[in-house]
């Protein structure tokens, strides 16, 4: 049985690029209690999910507030999986943080990352996730693309040096909000890891939708990072083709692909080092306040049902099909397994 995690941002107010919020804000504590009740084991945090308005606080005040969140988690019976600096919201990261052309802005990005490391430690976890939202270009000629990659590696090194226990999980995304990312796929993440000052502490987090948006199969990406020993978290969700980042409930668009993501995780005993399956899903904007958690419950149920299916997979029949090179038969077996016939 896998352990599952989710973030407070996954229960949100429904604003999108073209319209305002449509649901009221649910306070953090209520969300956390609900996550526990739904069967989640751990919570993922953006730094300011745990410590709101952290730009107004100093390092000690931030740690102090994080300790309060740790107490709350303990009281509810949830672990913290990771902390991710929210590096894309501030006026100082309009043109990226680690790879901004401005030195002052690069320093701010590092300050937020150090504070996120502090929060992670207070919450009892050793994972820092970097979604490199604006680390790339909107206008190709606006940044030196070689220096951009080097600046990213330097930032990773600086964070590794700040704390000797912290592990960095890069969550690559090929587009949105940036046009051309300096680190768009897990393959690029492996390169950054190898070029860092401590590759053993730099790995990846695969999000299904981001892989689909890169034109890749998330199950293959999961397999690739697993082969490298660097799949340290996942964000399972779904995506209907090459559109905006949809964060749909896991499996609702691409069921076979969802099954294969779970199958690779099962086959490789994902979770044996304490990893969680994270669900990074968003409710449809049409959803009413009282049904704010339905997408998360659905995703959890689909993941668990697929986990059961994966554990029932008939490897003997698969070997027979492979020996006859009868992949049409194998494919039909998978379809029937998924359709429950
Ligand atoms: C954005 C995304 C983020 C990260 C954490 O697309 O997936 O929520 O998972 O910063
Ligand atoms: Mn994500």
């Amino acid at each position: 049985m896998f352990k599952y995690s989710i973030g407070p941002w996954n229960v949100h107010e429904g604003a999108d690029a073209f319209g305002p919020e449509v649901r009221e804000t649910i306070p953090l504590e209520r969300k956390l209690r609900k996550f526990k009740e739904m069967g989640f084991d751990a919570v993922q945090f953006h730094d300011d999910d745990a410590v709101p308005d952290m730009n107004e606080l100093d390092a000690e005040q931030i740690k102090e507030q994080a300790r309060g969140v740790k107490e709350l988690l303990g009281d509810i019976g949830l672990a913290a999986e990771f902390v991710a600096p929210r590096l894309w919201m501030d006026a100082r990261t309009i043109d990226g943080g680690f790879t901004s052309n401005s030195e002052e802005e690069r320093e701010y990005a590092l300050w937020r990352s150090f504070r996120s490391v502090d929060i992670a430690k207070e919450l009892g976890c050793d994972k820092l996730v970097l979604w490199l939202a604006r680390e790339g270009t909107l206008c190709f000629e606006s940044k030196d693309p070689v220096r951009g990659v080097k600046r990213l590696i330097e930032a990773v090194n600086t964070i590794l040096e700040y704390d000797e226990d912290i592990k960095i999980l890069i969550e690559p995304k090929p587009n949105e909000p940036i046009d051309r990312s300096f680190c768009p796929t897990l393959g690029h993440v492996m390169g950054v890891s190898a070029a860092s000052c401590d590759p053993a502490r730099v790995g990846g987090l695969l999000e299904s939708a981001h892989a689909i948006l890169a034109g890749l199969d998330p199950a293959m990406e999961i397999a690739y990072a697993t082969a490298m020993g660097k799949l340290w978290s996942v964000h399972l969700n779904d995506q209907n083709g090459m559109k905006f980042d949809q964060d749909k409930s896991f499996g609702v668009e691409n069921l076979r692909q969802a099954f294969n993501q779970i199958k690779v995780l099962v086959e490789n005993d994902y979770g044996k080092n304490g990893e969680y399956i994270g669900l990074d899903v968003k409710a449809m904007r049409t959803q009413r306040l009282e049904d704010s958690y339905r997408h998360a419950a659905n995703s959890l149920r689909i993941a668990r049902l697929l986990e059961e299916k994966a554990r029932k997979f008939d490897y003997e029949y698969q070997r027979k099909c492979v020996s006859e090179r009868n992949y049409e038969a194998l494919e039909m077996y998978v379809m029937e397994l998924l359709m429950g016939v």
Side-chain angles (χ1 to χ4, degrees), residues 9-10 44-46 82 84-88 129-133 171 173 175-177 205 207 210 235 237 245 247 280 282:
W9 69 87
N10 293 121
Q44 316 173 343
F45 287 95
H46 288 131
F82 67 66
R86 204 189 286 273
L87 284 177
W88 51 92
V129 166
L130 297 181
W131 167 37
L132 303 170
E171 180 180 350
K173 185 170 173 183
N175 66 334
E176 211 209 18
L205 179 158
E207 176 167 320
H210 300 182
H235 272 175
N237 59 13
D245 185 16
D247 294 332
D280 195 358
K282 279 211 180 78

Side-chain angles (χ1 to χ4, degrees), residues 11 13 17 48 53 67 80 94 98 112 120 124 143 166 172 184 192 213 241 250-251 276 278 288-289 302 312 323 339:
V11 176
E13 296 79 8
D48 57 2
D53 303 320
R67 282 193 281 275
I94 286 174
F98 305 135
R112 279 293 288 242
K143 286 182 187 170
I166 202 73
V192 170
L213 286 166
F250 179 55
Y276 295 94
R288 289 173 202 274
L289 181 65
I302 291 169
K312 276 205 307 226
S323 72
M339 290 189 285

Side-chain angles (χ1 to χ4, degrees), residues 227-274:
M228 302 290 170
K230 292 206 177 289
L231 187 74
W232 298 345
S233 189
V234 291
H235 272 175
L236 300 187
N237 59 13
D238 213 344
Q239 171 75 27
N240 178 22
M242 313 289 264
K243 300 191 177 77
F244 60 95
D245 185 16
Q246 296 180 310
D247 294 332
K248 288 192 158 202
S249 292
F250 179 55
V252 297
E253 287 293 335
N254 302 284
L255 187 60
R256 182 173 171 194
Q257 221 174 48
F259 168 69
N260 282 320
Q261 290 172 66
I262 295 283
K263 182 168 173 285
V264 177
L265 295 171
V266 167
E267 286 172 352
N268 291 281
D269 205 10
Y270 179 83
K272 63 176 177 291
N273 304 310

